[in-house]
Amino acid sequence: MISAPAGKVDAGRARHRLSQTELSRGDRVLRAVSAVAAMIPPGLLVFIALVMVVAAMPSIVFNGWSFFTGSVFNFGNLYATTTITHNGVAAPPQAAYGALPLIFGTFATSLIALLLAVPISVGGALMLSEVIPRRIADPLSVFLELLAGIPSVVFGLWGVAVFGPFIAAHVYPALSSLGHIIPFLKGPVGVGQGLLTASLVLAVMIIPIIASTTLVLLRRVPILAKEGALALGMSRYETAKVVTIPYIRTGIVAASLLGWARALGETIAVLLIIGDIYRIPGNIFGNGSTIAAWIASTLDGALGDFTGMGVHALAELGLLLLAISLLTNLAGRIVVRRVAGGVLPVGRGV
Amino acid sequence: MSRPRRSHVRAGLFWGLCGVALVLIIAPAVDIILSILAHALPVLKPSLITETTSGTQLGLQNAITGTLALSLGVLIVAGTVGVLAGLYLSEFAPPRIAANARFFSEVLAGVPSIVVGYVGYTALVVGLHWHYSLLAGILALSALILPYIVKTTELAFSSVPRTLREGAIALGLSRGRTIRKVLLPPALPGVVSGLVLALAISTGETAPLLFTANFSDKNPSGLFNPVGYLTGVTYTDIQLPDPKTQAVAYAAAGVTVLLVLLLIFAGRGITLRSRRLIARMDV
């Protein structure tokens, strides 16, 4: 967990005042070189967006709006000698690129994950900051760092081989029996590879982002406000409800948006666990796919497309994913700017 | 009497649920690490390290050397750029420029890894005709972890106590000398721990490498040849039906987890030491 020390803004201004002092020639070279380096991350962001737009353009023209509504994804007959043309762009015969089931899978998995991860993260962070003494809480928070550092392919392996089979045998049957109340829970539970297992593992993956941010925010709640509440005779629970949680609410929203962005873009773990079948699953336990997983699993096949349209279609999927996750990310960072700078973790929440 | 009792029950329930939440955070972390290691340890034989992956021979040497080559490359590329960028943001940049560069660098960290992989494929593998190559893999990984290094470096420099800077100014030191002689020693542990954590992340990545480094059954043989890596072995082999190859998937995952844990704990150790060091310096 990376966080800025309190009073950073003030220190920043002071640093700038100091930097007005005379610069030697060596200093100027260092400043110029490091300035170039500092422009590389924003430049990369622009470059990535540009490459995706250019690569997706033929597919955008070919598909039009049907990209968002289509429920068929077919690279077409890659051995054909003829092509079909649509809106002036050529593709192999029978080619169709619809994204609807993938968009559904992406939002379904990431929203279920978010729904579970937010209360668990906030509850766990409250426990660590308000109940457990610092001496024990600090070593326990190492587990957040470990969760953040575990590779996504390992999450995938665990989900497929350990967690999925376990939960499908012991928990899903009970959930499925609620099927006559909630239709989406009805039907076969399978062996643990599917939409719900992917969502659960995603929840575990985004917990470190939300929980570690919440923990930092909780530790910044002014002690005087809490003591005031206690002095009024409030219990620890009432203090948490009336003072602490409202104080950090905006920060939790921002961290949740970042966690959501990460869940939207997760590739390998979801690909291994969800079963990667192009369809909207019949129930919550069924196989499906997401945008990210579909790109990773089909790009190899698309490379055989002599018109190149398959690769462009996957670029359009990638562009859509990029747009969604950047918007979520931006929203989170803009929200948090109003509360306190430098609190939000970068990327995975390490 | 009934009102206070009800609120007691509610408070008990609330903290009970918070406790359950904490268990739900810790338990998966423990279970993932233990179950992967339990699967991996029985198949961790010396042959996995002395042999490469070819035919029915189940070795990991090429994947381990490949992961090391990728890490070394990432350390050189992302390390250089990231540390310089962090230094600029902390020491030279006017506040407004620093705020914007920081903002976009953090947004870059939000780009999905598969998108980074796709851009690497389109721009480097196809666009520059590098084909599947170690260099393309290094650059894709670097783009992904650059924001972490920028942030940790900036933080390491900006948390050096102001008294040290003022002392340097009072002595009439130039900015360059101040950075090298006064700021660098206390900031260095923070910078290094940032690099170590970034390496932990890059060691675990798969998606950006699939279509840039691709995979290779041989040890790394040059910047423009494809290269193997541990996460790629796990990703590919777990999807094959043969239990023998699945065992290799576990072995690779076990080695990856051990490497990542080692890096995380090393990074944490350095961070704790540097915090103590800086706390002692602040007068």
Side-chain angles (χ1 to χ4, degrees):
Chain A
M1 178 65 219
I2 300 159
S3 64
K8 181 160 186 290
V9 178
D10 190 27
R13 216 173 290 133
R15 265 201 317 282
H16 185 56
R17 260 206 312 280
L18 299 184
S19 74
Q20 298 304 322
T21 50
E22 184 89 2
L23 294 175
S24 75
R25 182 180 298 172
D27 299 349
R28 286 206 192 94
V29 172
L30 182 61
R31 185 173 65 174
V33 172
S34 64
V36 171
M39 292 308 120
I40 287 180
L44 264 176
L45 192 62
V46 174
F47 177 73
I48 287 172
L50 272 182
V51 169
M52 292 312 285
V53 169
V54 170
M57 201 43 89
S59 168
I60 295 173
V61 173
F62 182 84
N63 291 313
W65 290 109
S66 68
F67 179 75
F68 297 98
T69 53
S71 299
V72 178
F73 200 101
N74 187 350
F75 286 121
N77 182 357
L78 301 185
Y79 304 102
T81 48
T82 56
T83 58
I84 54 166
T85 307
H86 194 247
N87 295 338
V89 188
Q94 290 115 44
Y97 313 102
L100 190 60
L102 303 175
I103 296 172
F104 171 85
T106 305
F107 276 97
T109 49
S110 60
L111 285 175
I112 296 173
L114 192 64
L115 215 63
L116 294 167
V118 171
I120 292 177
S121 304
V122 174
L126 273 171
M127 202 72 190
L128 284 175
S129 86
E130 310 295 304
V131 180
I132 299 175
R134 193 72 186 255
R135 211 159 16 90
I136 304 168
D138 274 352
L140 280 182
S141 66
V142 177
F143 285 104
L144 287 178
E145 243 169 282
L146 291 183
L147 268 189
I150 291 173
S152 55
V153 73
V154 172
F155 274 107
L157 186 58
W158 178 72
V160 165
V162 182
F163 179 66
F166 172 82
I167 201 161
H170 297 101
V171 180
Y172 287 177
L175 268 184
S176 175
S177 65
L178 295 173
H180 55 274
I181 310 169
I182 310 159
F184 208 54
L185 294 175
K186 200 164 25 190
V189 298
V191 292
Q193 278 194 41
L195 184 73
L196 185 56
T197 315
S199 311
L200 293 174
V201 173
L202 271 182
V204 177
M205 295 179 81
I206 63 173
I207 279 174
I209 300 178
I210 307 171
S212 56
T213 314
T214 310
L215 192 57
V216 172
L217 290 167
L218 280 172
R219 298 224 158 115
R220 285 189 174 187
V221 174
I223 189 78
L224 277 178
K226 284 198 229 171
E227 283 173 350
L230 289 173
L232 285 175
M234 290 189 188
S235 69
R236 198 154 43 172
Y237 162 65
E238 284 162 332
T239 309
K241 203 175 82 177
V242 179
V243 178
T244 316
I245 297 178
Y247 191 85
I248 62 169
R249 195 180 288 142
T250 321
I252 295 176
V253 170
S256 307
L257 283 167
L258 283 203
W260 187 27
R262 167 131 177 79
L264 286 165
E266 175 51 42
T267 311
I268 298 296
V270 173
L271 168 53
L272 289 174
I273 297 168
I274 203 170
D276 196 38
I277 292 174
Y278 180 90
R279 65 165 194 212
I280 295 178
N283 68 7
I284 200 169
F285 311 106
N287 295 140
S289 190
T290 65
I291 296 176
W294 193 250
I295 298 173
S297 66
T298 59
L299 183 54
D300 236 349
L303 300 182
D305 185 340
F306 56 96
T307 63
M309 189 52 76
V311 179
H312 294 309
L314 293 180
E316 190 173 0
L317 281 176
L319 184 63
L320 178 63
L321 180 66
L322 181 67
I324 300 170
S325 52
L326 284 191
L327 280 180
T328 335
N329 214 291
L330 277 173
R333 293 193 185 279
I334 288 168
V335 167
V336 89
R337 262 190 174 182
R338 302 205 329 250
V339 222
V343 180
L344 279 195
V346 170
R348 295 175 133 242
V350 171
Chain B
M1 262 326 276
S2 86
R3 205 189 76 82
R5 198 179 299 147
R6 199 166 354 136
S7 83
H8 266 116
V9 170
R10 214 179 292 156
L13 197 67
F14 178 77
W15 293 117
L17 285 175
C18 286
V20 171
L22 185 60
V23 170
L24 286 178
I25 294 175
I26 295 174
V30 175
D31 191 49
I32 290 170
I33 293 169
L34 290 186
S35 61
I36 295 296
L37 290 183
H39 275 101
L41 289 179
V43 285
L44 281 184
K45 296 184 199 119
S47 71
L48 284 168
I49 294 160
T50 55
E51 291 170 5
T52 57
T53 321
S54 66
T56 53
Q57 176 181 306
L58 302 171
L60 286 179
Q61 195 190 61
N62 53 320
I64 294 172
T65 52
T67 293
L68 292 179
L70 284 164
S71 300
L72 184 68
V74 164
L75 202 55
I76 294 171
V77 175
T80 313
V81 175
V83 168
L84 280 172
L87 180 70
Y88 179 77
L89 294 188
S90 168
E91 299 305 315
F92 293 113
R96 179 170 296 222
I97 291 181
N100 281 316
R102 195 179 297 133
F103 183 78
F104 285 111
S105 167
E106 290 178 7
V107 172
L108 174 66
V111 174
S113 54
I114 187 68
V115 171
V116 173
Y118 188 100
V119 170
Y121 172 78
T122 310
L124 306 176
V125 175
V126 178
L128 294 178
H129 305 289
W130 285 1
H131 307 288
Y132 292 129
S133 58
L134 173 60
L135 189 57
I138 289 173
L139 293 189
L141 276 183
S142 295
L144 214 69
I145 65 160
L146 194 53
Y148 298 93
I149 302 180
V150 174
K151 180 150 187 179
T152 47
T153 305
E154 186 194 353
L155 203 60
F157 276 95
S158 64
S159 50
V160 173
R162 225 164 91 195
T163 42
L164 288 184
R165 295 167 195 281
E166 288 167 353
I169 302 240
L171 288 173
L173 292 185
S174 74
R175 292 290 293 167
R177 265 185 100 77
T178 308
I179 289 170
R180 274 195 310 275
K181 301 282 179 187
V182 180
L183 303 181
L184 191 58
L188 196 58
V191 174
V192 172
S193 79
L195 288 173
V196 170
L197 281 179
L199 271 190
I201 296 165
S202 94
T203 305
E205 280 295 346
T206 321
L209 295 175
L210 291 175
F211 301 103
T212 50
N214 202 238
F215 197 80
S216 167
D217 289 345
K218 301 187 190 70
N219 283 319
S221 55
L223 280 177
F224 291 98
N225 292 328
V227 66
Y229 42 94
L230 286 163
T231 50
V233 176
T234 307
Y235 170 69
T236 315
D237 285 4
I238 197 60
Q239 301 187 68
L240 300 173
D242 182 5
K244 260 170 110 182
T245 44
Q246 290 196 351
V248 179
Y250 279 111
V255 176
T256 316
V257 166
L258 286 176
L259 268 177
V260 169
L261 288 184
L262 187 77
L263 289 168
I264 288 179
F265 281 115
R268 197 178 162 88
I270 302 170
T271 310
L272 287 180
R273 269 199 52 181
S274 85
R275 269 200 209 129
R276 243 174 278 147
L277 187 81
I278 285 182
R280 228 181 302 144
M281 278 180 171
D282 207 351
V283 218

